[in-house]
Amino acid sequence: AKHESPRSGRPAAASPRGKERKAAQGEPSCDEGFSFAYGPANFGFCYVSLEEREGLNLQRIRVDGRKVGFSDESLRDALAAMEEIMERRVPVTVTYDVRNVPTPSMKHVREGLKWAGE
């Protein structure tokens, strides 16, 4: 179910391509005082979420890696989710925890760098 972001009053972003958020063991939870404005959306190799806290001007995008290999499609879907969040044009910080993500192929590295450069 969609909910509204308390800060903006706009509906929270939907999962890319209409995929429902998948609850899974090890799903990230918010730090105390924070709430999810988006996600966490499960892309297999990572979760992408947007968190906010009352009184803070900056929301934060969190990318939490998992010990799961990734495909071209799962990488594109995760990047699309982050793009959807960035299209809100609100100031954010980004935290990447990729310690558990398997080493990507050079193709995936190039795709991520291309996305970051856009």
Side-chain angles (χ1 to χ4, degrees), residues 56-115:
L56 292 181
N57 293 329
L58 290 175
Q59 295 180 335
R60 70 178 175 194
I61 298 172
R62 269 182 52 188
V63 179
D64 294 290
R66 297 292 178 248
K67 291 182 182 179
V68 176
F70 50 94
S71 64
D72 294 348
E73 182 181 9
S74 64
L75 177 61
R76 280 192 298 272
D77 287 349
L79 294 174
M82 291 176 42
E83 184 69 25
E84 186 176 342
I85 293 168
M86 301 296 272
E87 285 174 352
R88 294 175 177 209
R89 301 279 186 227
V90 296
V92 296
T93 61
V94 183
T95 302
Y96 298 94
D97 183 353
V98 295
R99 292 174 287 182
N100 294 319
V101 176
T103 303
S105 68
M106 283 308 297
K107 176 184 176 185
H108 291 144
V109 170
R110 283 191 296 276
E111 190 167 342
L113 290 172
K114 180 182 174 193
W115 175 85

